[in-house]
Amino acid sequence: MGKLLYVKAAGELVTLEGEERLRTGDNGPRTGEAMSQLGIIRGGSIIARDGEIVFAGADEEALEFLGGCSGETETVDARGMVVTPGLVDPHTHLVYAGSREEELEQRLQGDTYLQILQRGGGILSTARRTAEAAEDELFAEAYARLNQFLLHGVTTLEAKSGYGLTPEAELKQLRVARRLDERHAIDVVSTFMGAHAVPPSFHGNTDGYVRQVVEEMLPAVAAAGLAEYCDVFCERGVFDLAQSERILRAAAALGFRLKVHADEIAAGFGGAGLAARVGAVSAEHLLKTSPEDRARLAQSGTVAVLLPGTALFLMEQAADARAMIAEGVAVALSTDCNPGSSPTVSMPFIMNAACLTMRMTPAEALTASTFNAACAIGREKQIGSLRPGKQADLTLFAADNYRKLQYHYGMNLVHTVIKKGRVVVSGGVLVQGE
Ligand code: NIG
Ligand code: FE
């Protein structure tokens, strides 16, 4: 029998397993009012064994539970802290080389994101750097980035390819993501996003590139088993609705689950409606989604992954989270970590931005960064809430109530991180691996 981990008497244990959830047994993404039901247990404790939660509840009962167990117990004192499920980041472009700080200055002087891309910068400049980088260099850069994610309380994230844009380079990026998943404490869920930009070799021939994605890349990625999801940058001047749909349908036929970068730049372009129509698990960005397409998302149960950091960094108006929540769309949050439109690893800051730029409440922001984020990557059975049988992924914040996570904005209050029952961050510092 493995060692026990006892997380003792949190100021607030935020289980995300409220009474309503327990009464209905509903395990789908939380919508409307249910996004505010955090299932808080004051003075609550968690006991984990072999990486799995075996007890979640009042500390007196935890002590009784421990009385019936033999063997070694490691205790983490959580008194005065907020304990939440490990944060989940469902949309990142984790694996890339270099940085693009000069583009911030260009945009501050009036250039737009798409203008920079159209003159060969933006995604294409990161693609050049990523193509030149050796696999080991990409691994080292992304591994360091994952350490930063961990220090900000993230225990699972999704990682998209899309800085390769050739069959070999896309596979290279995905191999790196797989190795990171194997070697790093954070679980990495992979998404193939060959349709992230049109490479210069196909300039003026987007259909030709779409053919290559469909006929060469998707089958190669599927054969190598390197990605679970397929995503497309559905946007005016990038991949239009018909091209996006061709790729997504081909991906679905090969067994990929679907995601769509939708309505980020052009108003009412229709990416969210497409996501709903093809049965995508999530539609992401949604800055300019039409009311009709919002209704389609609510109807299809497609999770809206909102990226308020990206809106802020692109100096755009954030997505209409209030309308989405009022209309029954399940909302999740993410960093969109990438070197162009959102160079951050901080889910705590993203939650701050969700409150301050989209008027989400602190409770909704937490649901959107844990349980609903897990739903956006199909992991809601394993992670995203705290109850027996789920993975023991926990984040402990140096705050005595969850509202302070959004009140002290721009600060990292993450104190301790536990991944599969193992303490990986303690006192705000990484614990070295075995
Ligand atoms: O999600 N919109 C497209 N892709 C990324 C940006 C990638 C980049 O600029 O390097 C995004 O914002
Ligand atoms: Fe993105």
Side-chain angles (χ1 to χ4, degrees):
M1 199 128 303
K3 194 171 87 170
L4 293 171
L5 181 78
Y6 170 34
V7 179
K8 182 179 171 55
E12 288 184 350
L13 181 68
V14 181
T15 66
L16 273 295
E17 294 286 341
E19 277 167 33
E20 181 66 7
R21 219 289 301 165
L22 296 175
R23 194 178 58 74
T24 59
D26 180 10
N27 205 30
R30 311 282 157 80
T31 58
E33 279 292 304
M35 282 192 70
S36 302
Q37 290 162 14
L38 296 180
I40 293 175
I41 304 173
R42 292 203 172 72
S45 297
I46 293 280
I47 301 170
R49 181 165 39 217
D50 298 327
E52 192 179 294
I53 297 172
V54 290
F55 173 89
D59 190 51
E60 307 81 71
E61 289 168 41
L63 289 168
E64 269 173 44
F65 185 101
L66 284 171
C69 300
S70 54
E72 207 186 327
T73 302
E74 178 183 356
T75 302
V76 173
D77 187 352
R79 279 175 300 180
M81 294 204 223
V82 171
V83 177
T84 70
L87 302 180
V88 178
D89 189 343
H91 175 148
T92 85
H93 304 257
L94 174 72
V95 180
Y96 61 83
S99 62
R100 307 201 320 248
E101 55 277 22
E102 69 289 351
E103 288 180 14
L104 171 60
E105 288 176 338
Q106 291 163 9
R107 289 190 297 102
L108 289 170
Q109 282 157 17
D111 287 351
T112 69
Y113 179 80
L114 279 187
Q115 278 168 349
I116 295 171
L117 176 63
Q118 274 147 11
R119 62 173 185 250
I123 296 173
L124 296 176
S125 102
T126 299
R128 283 191 296 277
R129 304 273 293 267
T130 304
E132 284 160 15
E135 213 156 311
D136 284 347
E137 290 168 42
L138 284 178
F139 177 83
E141 267 200 51
Y143 191 94
R145 209 166 285 135
L146 280 178
N147 281 341
Q148 292 298 320
F149 270 107
L150 205 56
L151 287 165
H152 288 81
V154 170
T155 50
T156 300
L157 56 71
E158 181 255 19
K160 303 174 195 293
S161 69
Y163 291 124
L165 308 178
T166 64
E168 316 81 74
E170 285 293 309
L171 288 168
K172 174 171 82 170
Q173 248 193 300
L174 290 168
R175 279 195 303 272
V176 171
R178 168 181 290 174
R179 217 167 114 209
L180 291 164
D181 179 45
E182 289 164 357
R183 305 279 178 83
H184 198 277
I186 292 182
D187 282 319
V188 177
V189 174
S190 274
T191 296
F192 165 67
M193 197 179 177
H196 192 199
V198 181
S201 52
F202 282 90
H203 188 74
N205 181 18
T206 303
D207 279 330
Y209 184 61
V210 169
R211 243 189 326 277
Q212 188 181 55
V213 169
V214 168
E215 290 171 12
E216 286 184 51
M217 295 192 197
L218 276 171
V221 174
L226 279 171
E228 185 175 337
Y229 286 86
C230 174
D231 193 347
V232 176
F233 189 10
C234 179
E235 188 61 60
R236 178 169 301 144
V238 192
F239 298 95
D240 67 20
L241 286 169
Q243 291 159 339
S244 300
E245 181 159 356
R246 214 173 305 148
I247 292 168
L248 293 167
R249 299 243 182 240
L254 288 168
F256 290 89
R257 305 185 81 195
L258 307 178
K259 295 177 164 287
V260 183
H261 271 60
D263 306 320
E264 180 180 359
I265 297 164
F269 192 65
L274 172 63
R277 194 162 68 245
V278 298
V281 175
S282 63
E284 326 206 327
H285 285 285
L286 311 177
L287 299 191
K288 309 265 171 74
T289 299
S290 67
E292 294 74 22
D293 278 354
R294 285 203 307 262
R296 292 186 177 104
L297 291 178
Q299 183 71 30
S300 63
T302 302
V303 179
V305 176
L306 304 186
L307 311 158
T310 311
L312 186 68
F313 200 70
L314 294 181
M315 296 169 279
E316 293 283 340
Q317 174 135 21
D320 196 346
R322 286 265 54 93
M324 291 183 202
I325 293 171
E327 293 161 4
V329 179
V331 169
L333 290 168
S334 161
T335 62
D336 191 18
C337 173
N338 76 73
S341 68
S342 189
T344 185
V345 294
S346 178
M347 281 299 290
F349 177 74
I350 294 301
M351 288 194 278
N352 300 158
C355 295
L356 298 174
T357 70
M358 302 195 296
R359 294 181 183 267
M360 284 175 66
T361 66
E364 289 167 345
L366 260 184
T367 299
S369 305
T370 54
F371 190 78
N372 279 8
C375 292
I377 52 173
R379 291 294 189 278
E380 66 275 18
K381 291 202 173 69
Q382 295 84 31
I383 56 173
S385 68
L386 303 178
R387 66 173 150 86
K390 281 194 139 177
Q391 217 164 278
D393 292 2
L394 310 172
T395 299
L396 283 65
F397 295 88
D400 56 12
N401 73 79
Y402 77 90
R403 293 179 174 91
K404 281 196 178 157
L405 307 188
Q406 313 316 332
Y407 168 69
H408 291 296
Y409 80 97
M411 292 175 65
N412 184 11
L413 302 179
V414 172
H415 182 279
T416 297
V417 181
I418 293 164
K419 180 65 187 178
K420 293 182 183 142
R422 196 162 67 87
V423 177
V424 287
V425 171
S426 180
V429 181
L430 286 174
V431 175
Q432 288 310 312
E434 55 274 61

